[in-house]
Amino acid sequence: MLRKSLFPLLVCLTVPAWTQTLSETLPNGLKVIVKEDKRAPVAVSQLWYKVGSVDEQPGKTGLSHALEHMMFKGTPTVPSGEFSRRVAALGGQFNAYTNRSETVYYENIAAANLPEILKLEADRMQNLNFSDKEFTNEMSVIREERRQRTEDSAAGKMWEHIYLNSFTSAPLRASVIGYMNDLHTLKAEDLRAWYQRYYAPNNATLVIVGDVDAKRTLQTAARLFGSIPAKNQPPRNQINEAAERAPVSAETTSAVTRQPLIALSYRVPALRRTDDKMPYALDVLSDILAGNSSSRLDKNLVRGKQIALSAGAGYDILSREMPLFTLTAMPNNGVSSQTLLAQMRAEIKDIADNGISSEELKRVKNIAESSEIYARDSIVSQASLMGQLETRGFRYSDEAEIRRRLQKVSAEDVQEAAKLLTDSRSSVVVVKPAAAAAPAKK
């Protein structure tokens, strides 16, 4: 159930004429957003809780993700296993995910059956009741998930070490799934306390998109969720560090990779106000560097010099915590990791020194526009962007302004963003373990 948030920002920013979006904050603090999209008789419900790994403490990592698993273990009126049985009987699909910023539960369902889904979600928002035995059994599942996705995955190891190497404060460094030592020592009471602390209507956003009547759906949500009491929210962790830092590097091993994996990361600002300027330029810079066949890393390092088998770049403009601007790559045969790292830094320096062409800038903006057009057909994408905006400090209605400002980013803005990515960097290399020396013959 753990996944990275791969939702692109540039989607769903134009509201089709046939939709109506209504929102209401209930007296208990629950924000409800309903968007009509009547092109098919289906609906998606997403319940966003503002709690993730950045809210955890040392020794208790993995709490948010473990609780996500336990949320399917029943209430007094919906026993363990009954939630999935009922959703399946209604012809729906469901799942959940945890990331650094939030925990999200979602269902895709025939629109006529949406009230039943909302009833189930309201029930487990306040009545979760899992046993110690179920907790013990599920922690074994979670430990195996960590082995598969982190310890036995070269990419998983790389991403865990990116955060370990990039930050010094525990909340920013922590693994979303948790460290293995903590997964052996967490108690059922730890999860129950976490549930009581953060699973509250005033720490959640409910987003519904589909073939629904917006006004009537708001009334249904108010009836089902409105009586759940709000809770006092505890102070949050400090989730920012100074941007400047001395360059650091780390190396780790993975037995499941034949080629090294490398990463280059920089601490950069996130979007905090819609009129911030640099985050928009960083977002466009990530597309200039990677993301399509004409981007700098693909054109120059993969196809041009052929020193990389693959290369990518990423930046989360809406990050609740301090985000990273990260470049990842796999060197070609015979190319050292340090050589490829140096070439990646050279690509950034070239943009910082010489800028980008108008053709490059126009290309990435056209790609963003076409992606947005295609994404309008997905009610899941529409709901995801609204939930992400609301959970990370914005309003769902800010999306049009964000889109407008991204389209106004200039070549000079992108050049200034590249100048941020100087020597305050973190590099991580994942290599295959060295072969053990053969024992000497007697």
Side-chain angles (χ1 to χ4, degrees), residues 212-268:
V212 298
D213 180 283
K215 184 177 180 180
R216 188 176 305 142
T217 303
L218 280 178
Q219 293 171 344
T220 300
R223 175 173 55 83
L224 294 172
F225 289 88
S227 63
I228 303 174
K231 298 176 183 177
N232 293 328
Q233 289 298 295
R236 298 280 181 166
N237 289 331
Q238 172 58 249
I239 51 177
N240 286 286
E241 293 189 3
E244 292 299 320
R245 52 120 17 114
V248 292
S249 61
E251 182 174 293
T252 188
T253 61
S254 173
V256 296
T257 186
R258 298 186 63 179
Q259 288 294 105
L261 294 178
I262 66 173
L264 191 61
S265 300
Y266 302 85
R267 300 175 184 176
V268 292

Side-chain angles (χ1 to χ4, degrees), residues 50-276:
K50 188 179 178 180
V51 59
S53 63
V54 296
D55 299 297
E56 298 165 359
Q57 300 295 329
K60 303 291 185 182
T61 62
L63 264 174
S64 301
H65 174 249
L67 179 56
E68 174 214 314
H69 279 241
M70 300 312 299
M71 283 289 285
F72 294 90
K73 299 305 177 181
T75 70
T77 58
V78 183
S80 181
E82 184 69 7
F83 183 99
S84 58
R85 190 198 68 78
R86 291 190 187 185
V87 176
L90 293 170
Q93 299 175 325
F94 69 93
N95 212 324
Y97 64 89
T98 305
N99 58 35
R100 305 181 69 80
S101 297
E102 60 260 334
T103 308
V104 184
Y105 301 86
Y106 59 93
E107 296 86 19
N108 300 332
I109 196 76
N113 295 327
L114 177 64
E116 289 300 313
I117 294 297
L118 298 182
K119 181 179 179 181
L120 290 170
E121 287 291 8
D123 179 42
R124 66 177 178 174
M125 178 182 277
Q126 62 178 332
N127 297 317
L128 182 65
N129 184 33
F130 60 86
S131 68
D132 289 356
K133 181 179 179 180
E134 286 184 317
F135 164 79
T136 300
N137 291 339
E138 198 63 28
M139 289 307 298
S140 296
V141 173
I142 293 170
R143 289 192 290 270
E144 181 59 28
E145 184 178 347
R146 178 183 164 85
R147 277 187 282 269
Q148 291 180 358
R149 297 193 175 200
T150 302
E151 297 175 0
D152 293 340
S153 165
K157 267 203 165 183
M158 178 186 72
W159 280 105
E160 182 165 88
H161 280 77
I162 285 172
Y163 286 96
L164 284 171
N165 204 45
S166 295
F167 296 110
T168 59
S169 66
L172 288 169
R173 303 181 83 210
S175 166
V176 175
I177 199 169
Y179 303 127
M180 189 63 85
N181 286 344
D182 295 347
L183 298 181
H184 278 284
T185 58
L186 287 178
K187 307 297 183 186
E189 281 306 312
D190 295 326
L191 270 68
R192 293 186 183 110
W194 202 247
Y195 172 77
Q196 291 299 327
R197 181 179 302 172
Y198 288 110
Y199 277 56
N202 52 317
N203 193 46
T205 300
L206 174 64
V207 184
I208 298 163
V209 179
D211 185 15
V212 298
D213 180 283
K215 184 177 180 180
R216 188 176 305 142
T217 303
L218 280 178
Q219 293 171 344
T220 300
R223 175 173 55 83
L224 294 172
F225 289 88
S227 63
I228 303 174
K231 298 176 183 177
N232 293 328
Q233 289 298 295
R236 298 280 181 166
N237 289 331
Q238 172 58 249
I239 51 177
N240 286 286
E241 293 189 3
E244 292 299 320
R245 52 120 17 114
V248 292
S249 61
E251 182 174 293
T252 188
T253 61
S254 173
V256 296
T257 186
R258 298 186 63 179
Q259 288 294 105
L261 294 178
I262 66 173
L264 191 61
S265 300
Y266 302 85
R267 300 175 184 176
V268 292
L271 190 69
R272 296 291 177 242
R273 297 159 40 107
T274 56
D275 59 356
D276 288 344

Side-chain angles (χ1 to χ4, degrees), residues 290-310:
N292 64 84
S293 60
S294 299
S295 58
R296 291 281 184 110
L297 298 183
D298 191 275
K299 181 178 67 176
N300 297 339
L301 303 188
V302 178
R303 300 198 315 277
K305 297 177 181 178
Q306 298 185 4
I307 62 173
L309 294 174
S310 62

Side-chain angles (χ1 to χ4, degrees), residues 21 43 51 76 79 88 91 110 121 125 141 148 160 263 277 289 291 307 320 339 366 372 414:
T21 303
V51 59
E121 287 291 8
M125 178 182 277
V141 173
Q148 291 180 358
E160 182 165 88
K277 190 171 183 179
L289 286 167
I307 62 173
R320 179 156 72 90
T339 295
N366 287 342
E372 180 263 329
V414 175

